[in-house]
């Protein structure tokens, strides 16, 4: 313990300094007081010795008979060195010794003088009964001095001892009152920190030394503040944790949490051979629902479906909301297809049950895609991949349910898998095709029906697959759209078409217009106008020669938004056409607000025009609309003369179709243009190779 205390003391520099200060101060103070006292004491002793010598001399001289004084041998000793006794008349009675040596003393009027050798010269003037004595003595003080010195040394030593004791007492006191309690406090703080294991430390007990209470108080209030803020942080963290893993509208787990749970479910399924089923549930026509009733009602609908799903699926492991109107359900411990179908039916009838909201009676239908684990997945031994696959499979099944008419369920099957595989392969092939320039732009001419003059052409992309040959754009454009590649591909098509048409202008066909198909993805991408204007600038094609064809379903997707974009494009000087008109249920109210210059009647209505009275009515109606809204009408898919004649009679402006020409590469299109109107070309059924049309089927002048 002493060693411990010493260690602490030796490590405490302030304590050491304090001890030294105490030692020095106490020692100095003692010296300051004691040394003068010793000095005085020494002098008093010397004075007493001198007085004693004088008294004994006085006694000898004045109390002894005069005869005895004659014998001065006894008198003149080591102390008395000179003696002069005179009678009342002043005559010397006795004169002995070396008085003259004291003349100096007599001269100064002093009675004593000290010398360095420890001897004091003294001159006494004594008088008794008219006898006068002058005595000179030399008194040795060496002995006294030695004694005084020894005494002084003893006193200094004692002072030093006292000072040391005072310093030790100070150190002890400091240790007891300061260092030890501080060490205790530090130990408590350390223990509190170490026990906290990274959390906020616990408060400490108050130390016995009251002086340190303030310190402990400060520490404890710091801890309290930290605990408070840590509690707040915890609440915030819990909230953030919840928000990060839950959907704010339905409070169901979100995609992030679903992915995590799915991974664990797959792991568990693999380890314990426990099957499970994934249901993807998607509201049908939710966009329409939102547009019709507003987003607030749409949100309420989604929340209601989420609630219903959750209460219905209490016995089921997870219900999560993946996207706007898409939910996912995981049912564990089964992969029985019959019971999956039963559950899917229950989900559908649950969704379709009416729902009252602010006076509206709402009904929502859902489509369900189902995939079973492990039946429907490849055993890849990677739980993440397998999880991804089962959800993708359910998505494929859901897509199937949607394209088969919605409000139904589909179980994933092998056929879907092969379609999916083919689609994935096509996506990969498309990527390669973009890199290897496997695309080409073909041109299908359009003629003015009345004058038979070529007005321009439609640019149609062609993909020459290295092994499959020509792949229809109807097959690969949707895949390119879904994979986002249509942006790059679309830009390439537009630039190529503009460049080649500009070349045809330079070759003498200066009035040719070019129509380029624009996909919905490009249209909603937000970069269409800058991309088009750059292409036109780079190829030096004036905007009025370019027409963008946008399908009716694309413009009707979000008409309010589309109106703005169309106005921007139109202001730029571009022509705008609604493609495949008649198939997308156009709202006429919107049509009149679209700054569109051309309507292209869909091929489907032209094909049977000579036999189907409904198609005739539709074509007449579209032509009427075109006239009313001052738009040109193009009939596409004109395959024979009868159709062209019919359209001419009906007053249709422009025709496009195999009867005029199939789409062709630019070089052949140039040759075709050079021969028109003297001849036209026919394309063989094997592909897009252009061969001259037999004279019987020629038309025009
Ligand atoms: P679309 O824009 O309506 O193009 C007209 C389609 O009808 C073309 O098919 C054309 O070859 C075909 N066609 C024209 N006249 C006749 C005819 O008399 N009889 C028949 N049976 N067919 C005729 P294609 O080139 O296969 O294109 C199909 C669709 O693919 C296009 O329909 C368009 O929606 C899309 N597409 C084609 N090229 C592009 C493109 O460059 N970009 C985008 N985004 N889509 C394109
Ligand atoms: Mg088109
Ligand atoms: Mg079309």
């Amino acid at each position: 313990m002493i060693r411990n205390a010493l260690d602490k003391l030796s490590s405490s520099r302030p304590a050491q300094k304090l001890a030294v200060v105490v030692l020095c101060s106490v020692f100095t103070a003692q010296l300051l007081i004691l040394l003068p006292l010793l000095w005085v004491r020494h002098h008093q002793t010397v004075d007493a010795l001198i007085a004693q010598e004088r008294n004994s001399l006085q006694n000898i001289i004045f109390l002894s008979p005069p005869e005895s004084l004659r014998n001065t041998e006894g008198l003149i000793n080591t102390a008395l060195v000179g003696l002069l006794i005179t009678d009342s008349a002043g005559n010397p009675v006795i004169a002995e010794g070396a008085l003259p040596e004291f003349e100096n003393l007599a001269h100064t009027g002093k009675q004593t003088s000290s010398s360095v050798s420890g001897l004091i010269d003294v001159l006494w003037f004594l008088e008794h009964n008219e006898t006068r004595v002058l005595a000179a003595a030399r008194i040795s003080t060496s002995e006294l001095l030695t004694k005084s010195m020894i005494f002084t040394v003893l006193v200094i030593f004692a002072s030093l001892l006292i000072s040391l004791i005072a310093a030790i007492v100070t150190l002890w006191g400091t240790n007891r009152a300061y260092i030890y309690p501080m060490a205790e406090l530090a130990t408590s703080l350390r223990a509190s920190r170490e026990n906290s294991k990274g959390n906020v430390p616990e408060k400490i007990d108050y130390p016995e030394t009251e002086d340190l209470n303030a310190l402990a108080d400060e520490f404890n209030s710091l801890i309290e503040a930290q605990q408070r803020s840590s509690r707040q942080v915890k609440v915030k963290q819990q909230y953030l944790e919840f928000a990060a893993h839950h959907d704010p509208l339905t409070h169901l787990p979100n995609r992030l949490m679903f992915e995590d749970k799915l991974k664990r479910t797959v792991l568990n399924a693999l380890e314990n051979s426990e099957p499970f089923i994934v249901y993807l549930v998607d509201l049908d026509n939710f966009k329409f629902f939102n547009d019709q009733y507003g987003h607030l009602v749409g949100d309420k609908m989604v929340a209601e479906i989420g609630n219903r799903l959750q209460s219905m699926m209490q016995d089921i492991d997870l219900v999560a909301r993946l996207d706007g109107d898409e939910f996912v359900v995981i049912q564990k411990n089964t992969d029985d297809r019959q019971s999956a179908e039963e559950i899917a039916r229950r989900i559908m009838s649950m969704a379709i049950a009416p729902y009252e909201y602010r006076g509206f009676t709402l009904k929502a239908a859902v489509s369900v895609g189902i995939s079973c684990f492990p039946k429907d997945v490849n055993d890849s031994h990677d739980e993440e991949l397998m999880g991804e696959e089962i959800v993708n499979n359910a998505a494929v099944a859901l897509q199937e349910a949607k394209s088969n008419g919605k409000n139904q369920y589909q179980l994933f099957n092998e056929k879907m898998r092969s379609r999916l595989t083919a689609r994935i392969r096509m996506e990969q092939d498309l990527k390669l095709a973009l890199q290897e320039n496997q695309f080409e732009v073909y041109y299908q001419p359009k003629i003015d029906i009345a004058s038979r003059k070529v007005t321009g052409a439609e640019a149609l992309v062609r993909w020459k697959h290295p092994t499959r040959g020509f792949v229809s754009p109807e097959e690969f454009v949707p895949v390119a759209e879904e994979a986002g590649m249509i942006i790059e591909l679309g830009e390439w098509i537009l630039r190529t078409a503009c460049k080649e048409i500009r070349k045809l202008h330079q070759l003498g066909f200066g009035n040719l217009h070019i129509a380029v198909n624009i996909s919905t993805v490009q249209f909603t991408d937000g970069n269409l106008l800058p991309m088009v204007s750059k292409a036109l600038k780079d190829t030096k094609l004036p905007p009025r020669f370019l027409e963008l064809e946008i399908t009716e379903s694309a413009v009707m997707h979000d008409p309010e938004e589309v109106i703005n974009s169309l106005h921007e494009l139109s202001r730029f000087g571009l022509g705008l056409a609604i493609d495949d008109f008649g198939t997308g249920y156009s709202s006429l109210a919107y049509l009149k607000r679209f700054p569109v210059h051309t309507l292209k009647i869909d091929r489907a209505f032209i094909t049977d025009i000579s036999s189907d009275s409904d198609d005739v009515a539709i074509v007449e109606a579209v032509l009427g609309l075109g006239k009313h809204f001052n738009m040109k009408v193009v009939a596409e898919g004109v395959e024979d003369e009868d159709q062209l004649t019919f359209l001419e009679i009906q007053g249709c402006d422009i025709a496009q179709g195999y009867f005029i020409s199939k789409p062709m590469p630019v070089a052949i299109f140039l040759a075709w243009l050079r021969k028109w109107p003297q001849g036209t070309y026919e394309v063989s059924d094997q592909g897009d190779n252009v061969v001259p049309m037999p004279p019987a089927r020629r038309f025009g002048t």
Side-chain angles (χ1 to χ4, degrees):
M1 193 187 130
I2 292 171
R3 197 192 165 89
N4 200 5
L6 282 175
D7 279 350
K8 275 174 197 154
L9 285 173
S10 62
S11 65
S12 168
R13 290 194 65 79
Q16 288 168 1
K17 278 184 191 165
L18 183 66
V20 170
V21 168
V22 167
L23 181 85
C24 295
S25 328
V26 172
F27 187 57
T28 313
Q30 286 182 95
L31 291 189
L32 284 174
I33 296 166
L34 291 176
L35 286 183
L37 288 176
L38 288 172
W39 177 254
V40 170
R41 181 182 170 277
H42 173 71
H43 278 277
Q44 280 173 348
T45 321
V46 171
D47 288 347
L49 181 67
I50 293 169
Q52 190 189 343
E53 290 292 336
R54 177 190 162 115
N55 284 345
S56 67
L57 183 70
Q58 218 165 350
N59 288 343
I60 293 168
I61 294 172
F62 297 120
L63 300 179
S64 312
E67 307 79 54
S68 66
L69 285 176
R70 305 245 173 243
N71 183 12
T72 55
E73 265 179 35
L75 277 174
I76 302 300
N77 55 22
T78 44
L80 193 67
V81 292
L83 183 66
L84 175 66
I85 301 175
T86 54
D87 58 16
S88 53
N91 302 315
V93 181
I94 298 168
E96 282 291 335
L99 257 177
E101 282 183 33
F102 291 82
E103 263 172 23
N104 265 354
L105 213 55
H107 204 69
T108 57
K110 284 185 184 169
Q111 288 195 17
T112 57
S113 85
S114 55
S115 71
V116 196
S117 56
L119 296 171
I120 294 179
D121 291 340
V122 188
L123 199 60
W124 290 311
F125 298 96
L126 308 170
E127 199 170 1
H128 184 67
N129 293 338
E130 296 181 346
T131 308
R132 287 191 185 134
V133 177
L134 183 61
R138 180 157 287 160
I139 299 166
S140 165
T141 59
S142 318
E143 202 179 324
L144 275 182
L145 200 63
T146 309
K147 276 184 185 169
S148 287
M149 293 278 269
I150 291 169
F151 188 65
T152 304
V153 168
L154 284 176
V155 164
I156 288 174
F157 185 72
S159 300
L160 199 62
L161 210 66
I162 289 168
S163 307
L164 259 174
I165 290 168
I168 288 168
V169 168
T170 307
L171 278 178
W172 176 80
T174 313
N175 182 38
R176 213 180 124 76
Y178 171 68
I179 297 176
Y180 179 71
M182 277 300 271
E184 290 264 280
L185 187 65
T187 311
S188 310
L189 295 176
R190 194 177 311 116
S192 162
R193 177 176 55 76
E194 282 171 2
N195 292 342
S196 71
K197 295 192 179 102
N199 297 321
V200 180
E202 283 301 311
K203 287 188 191 176
I204 55 162
D205 292 335
Y206 282 94
E208 281 169 21
T209 313
E210 277 182 17
D211 286 0
L212 297 178
N213 279 359
L215 218 58
D217 239 353
E218 279 305 314
F219 176 79
N220 283 347
S221 27
L222 263 176
I223 295 298
E224 214 170 302
Q226 259 195 45
Q227 280 172 344
R228 250 200 318 274
S229 80
S230 141
R231 271 197 297 276
Q232 284 168 356
V233 167
K234 232 178 233 161
V235 170
K236 270 188 204 156
Q237 265 173 353
Q238 278 169 354
Y239 171 74
L240 287 177
E241 177 81 359
F242 184 84
H245 294 99
H246 290 81
D247 158 53
L249 183 63
T250 59
H251 299 139
L252 288 173
N254 62 11
R255 182 180 284 277
L256 198 70
M257 188 160 170
F258 165 71
E259 278 169 4
D260 186 50
K261 291 240 172 176
L262 178 70
K263 209 156 90 182
R264 277 190 253 165
T265 310
V266 174
L267 252 180
N268 185 50
L270 290 175
E271 279 168 15
N272 306 319
S273 307
E274 279 178 8
F276 68 92
I277 303 176
V278 170
Y279 304 82
L280 271 186
V281 181
D282 193 279
L283 266 79
D284 292 333
N285 304 323
F286 183 59
K287 168 106 191 53
F288 168 80
F289 195 89
N290 255 339
D291 292 345
Q292 192 86 358
Y293 297 101
H295 285 265
L296 194 67
V297 178
D299 282 356
K300 290 281 171 200
M301 192 76 233
V302 169
E304 177 67 21
I305 298 287
N307 266 342
R308 288 183 189 182
L309 262 178
Q310 201 173 28
S311 51
M312 178 195 140
M313 296 289 173
Q314 265 163 3
D315 49 337
I316 280 173
D317 297 280
L318 182 77
V319 178
R321 183 185 176 203
L322 291 188
D323 261 325
D325 60 344
E326 193 172 69
F327 296 89
V328 65
V329 176
I330 293 180
Q331 185 187 15
K332 281 193 188 168
N333 292 327
T334 175
D335 62 351
D336 177 46
R337 288 183 173 250
Q338 267 185 355
S339 76
E341 287 185 42
E342 178 52 35
I343 294 277
R345 275 193 291 272
R346 272 174 57 199
I347 293 175
M348 285 164 56
S349 57
M350 165 283 294
I352 215 153
Y355 159 61
E356 299 287 330
Y357 179 69
R358 288 194 179 168
F360 295 108
T361 303
L362 310 169
K363 266 188 178 182
V366 295
S367 300
V368 185
I370 309 162
S371 180
C372 301
F373 190 95
K375 277 183 204 159
D376 293 337
V377 292
N378 290 314
D379 190 3
S380 66
H381 294 293
D382 179 332
E383 66 273 7
E384 211 160 306
L385 279 183
M386 290 170 96
E388 226 172 81
E389 191 183 346
I390 193 163
V391 174
N392 283 344
N393 291 350
V396 170
L398 175 68
Q399 200 51 49
E400 188 87 3
K402 291 268 182 191
S403 44
N404 285 355
K406 303 180 181 171
N407 192 22
Q408 56 180 279
Y409 64 85
Q410 282 289 334
L411 277 148
F412 180 78
N413 58 38
E414 278 311 312
K415 267 192 214 151
M416 292 180 198
R417 185 198 297 285
S418 44
R419 273 203 293 275
L420 181 70
T421 319
R423 197 180 175 86
I424 293 170
R425 192 172 306 136
M426 179 174 279
E427 220 178 283
Q428 288 164 349
D429 287 354
L430 270 174
K431 272 185 200 146
L432 204 70
L434 266 173
Q435 288 165 13
E436 295 183 354
N437 299 324
Q438 293 170 10
F439 296 102
E440 205 174 328
V441 177
Y442 274 39
Y443 299 87
Q444 186 176 34
K446 293 195 275 186
I447 57 157
D448 177 272
I449 298 177
S451 67
R452 299 292 202 264
K453 283 190 175 146
V454 180
T455 58
E458 178 175 5
L460 293 158
V461 66
R462 290 294 175 263
W463 177 18
K464 192 151 189 253
H465 191 280
T467 53
R468 290 176 60 195
F470 280 102
V471 183
S472 161
E474 262 158 356
E475 199 182 330
F476 73 80
V477 166
V479 180
E481 282 178 337
E482 237 169 69
M485 285 181 268
I486 195 71
I487 301 286
E488 194 184 334
L489 178 61
E491 184 171 354
W492 178 83
I493 296 165
L494 182 90
R495 294 181 80 89
T496 311
C498 291
K499 192 172 73 192
E500 291 180 347
I501 282 298
R502 169 97 177 113
K503 196 140 213 179
L504 293 179
H505 282 188
Q506 289 165 342
L507 292 171
F509 301 96
N511 283 327
L512 282 186
H513 288 72
I514 182 72
V516 178
N517 291 286
I518 297 294
S519 128
T520 319
V521 179
Q522 286 174 282
F523 195 66
T524 49
D525 156 67
N527 194 40
L528 182 62
L529 184 56
M531 186 273 280
V532 172
S533 73
K534 188 162 186 312
L536 288 172
K537 204 173 147 207
D538 293 351
T539 55
K540 299 194 177 71
L541 182 72
R544 67 195 157 89
F545 289 110
L546 176 64
E547 185 172 59
L548 302 182
E549 288 191 12
I550 302 145
T551 60
E552 188 183 17
S553 48
V555 288
M556 284 302 155
H557 181 70
D558 190 354
E560 284 298 341
E561 187 65 34
V562 162
I563 286 173
N564 292 332
S565 313
L566 289 180
H567 272 288
E568 274 183 15
L569 294 165
S570 175
R571 271 198 297 272
F572 190 69
L574 300 169
L576 296 169
I578 298 185
D579 204 354
D580 305 339
F581 192 75
T583 57
Y585 312 104
S586 271
S587 156
L588 298 183
Y590 279 121
L591 193 61
K592 85 171 181 200
R593 289 172 61 200
F594 289 149
V596 167
H597 315 94
T598 310
L599 293 179
K600 286 189 83 174
I601 311 176
D602 191 69
R603 202 168 70 221
F605 305 115
I606 307 295
T607 309
D608 297 327
I609 208 155
S610 25
S611 54
D612 192 327
S613 57
D614 287 349
D615 286 350
V616 172
I618 290 170
V619 171
E620 281 175 357
V622 176
L623 288 169
L625 272 177
K627 260 198 191 80
H628 183 81
F629 289 126
N630 203 19
M631 297 169 185
K632 282 221 171 330
V633 178
V634 178
E636 56 179 17
V638 179
E639 291 187 348
D640 57 42
E641 198 155 6
D642 292 348
Q643 289 166 351
L644 189 72
T645 313
F646 172 81
L647 291 165
E648 189 171 16
I649 293 165
Q650 291 297 322
C652 182
D653 304 291
I654 294 164
Q656 174 188 350
Y658 290 177
F659 183 61
I660 298 142
S661 169
K662 276 199 166 184
M664 49 202 150
V666 67
I668 299 171
F669 181 41
L670 175 62
W672 183 91
L673 282 170
R674 284 191 170 135
K675 292 201 171 166
W676 187 265
Q678 288 84 6
T680 185
Y681 290 88
E682 182 187 65
V683 180
S684 76
D685 283 336
Q686 281 82 38
D688 287 335
N689 299 322
V690 181
V691 290
M693 189 187 263
R697 294 193 59 195
R698 287 188 188 173
F699 80 96
T701 50

